[in-house]
């Protein structure tokens, strides 16, 4: 069983952000508990509560050593794999021509581009999506239908489930948020802004 933890950033149609991002980290389910424990140990090492959330908005000069170690941990951990899809300029999206006039249809297409390449036929998958970024169960059910149909997985034998969870429930989902934040920081032109956070630029 492979777990995939998904996060979204700047995905709303009129949020004034230039780039839209979807990202996901995959992890074999049998490795999940070990990874959670190791991430919590890094939190404790840096004087943080094991319940404190890893998130891009939390990157600051005082916490930079912690976040640097978390990124190093991700890079060195072979059980974790990351993929992102970036729409670099949402103003160029032509929903009338390509998406039947619907931003929601584009949303499903973008998730399809993100997840289809991460899902094979020889494994089983559970997909977890940050609940703050979705519009409820109907959207999640539609996404599972789209992904399963493409894999001819009509009985949901490959994609077992897509569930909404809150980020505080999963260190791996928090890690997805952090990496997505860094990618979004770059693609939304904050990296070259002299007024942007020096800690975030360093990370």
């Amino acid at each position: 069983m492979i777990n995939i933890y998904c996060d979204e950033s700047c995905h709303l149609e009129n949020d004034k952000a230039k780039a839209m991002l979807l990202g996901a980290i995959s992890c074999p389910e049998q490795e999940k508990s070990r990874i959670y424990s190791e991430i919590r140990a890094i939190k404790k090492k840096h004087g943080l509560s094991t319940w404190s959330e890893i998130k891009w908005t939390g990157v600051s000069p005082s916490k930079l050593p912690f976040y640097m170690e978390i990124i190093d941990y991700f890079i060195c951990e072979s059980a974790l794999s990351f993929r992102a899809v970036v729409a670099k300029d949402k103003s160029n999206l032509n929903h009338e021509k390509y998406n039947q006039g619907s931003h929601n249809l584009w949303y499903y297409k973008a998730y399809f581009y993100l997840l289809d390449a991460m899902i094979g036929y020889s494994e089983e998958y559970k997909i977890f999506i940050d609940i703050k970024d979705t519009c409820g169960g109907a959207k999640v059910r539609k996404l599972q239908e789209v992904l399963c149909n493409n894999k001819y997985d009509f009985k949901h034998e490959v994609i077992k489930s897509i569930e909404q969870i809150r980020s505080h429930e999963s260190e791996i989902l928090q890690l997805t948020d952090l990496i997505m934040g860094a990618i979004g920081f770059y693609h939304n032109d904050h990296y070259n802004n002299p007024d942007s956070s020096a800690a975030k630029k360093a990370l």
Side-chain angles (χ1 to χ4, degrees), residues 97-116:
K97 184 173 182 179
Y98 296 108
N99 302 309
Q100 300 170 24
S102 169
H103 183 77
N104 275 345
L105 182 56
W106 159 250
Y107 169 91
Y108 291 122
K109 286 182 178 181
Y111 248 124
F112 174 83
Y113 290 132
L114 173 71
L115 292 170
D116 185 58

Side-chain angles (χ1 to χ4, degrees), residues 11-29:
H11 59 288
L12 300 176
E13 188 169 13
N14 299 308
D15 58 11
K16 298 182 181 179
K18 177 183 174 184
M20 166 185 166
L21 302 92
L22 300 174
I25 290 179
S26 64
C27 172
E29 190 168 55

Side-chain angles (χ1 to χ4, degrees), residues 27-64:
C27 172
E29 190 168 55
Q30 67 268 23
E31 301 286 353
K32 180 182 73 172
S33 294
R34 173 183 65 80
I35 288 168
Y36 282 12
S37 295
E38 290 173 356
I39 290 175
R40 288 169 187 165
I42 297 172
K43 291 178 182 179
K44 289 180 69 175
K45 174 183 171 182
H46 289 268
L48 301 174
S49 165
T50 57
W51 294 102
S52 61
E53 283 196 47
I54 299 166
K55 51 187 176 182
W56 178 249
T57 56
V59 176
S60 64
S62 64
K63 291 182 179 177
L64 185 57

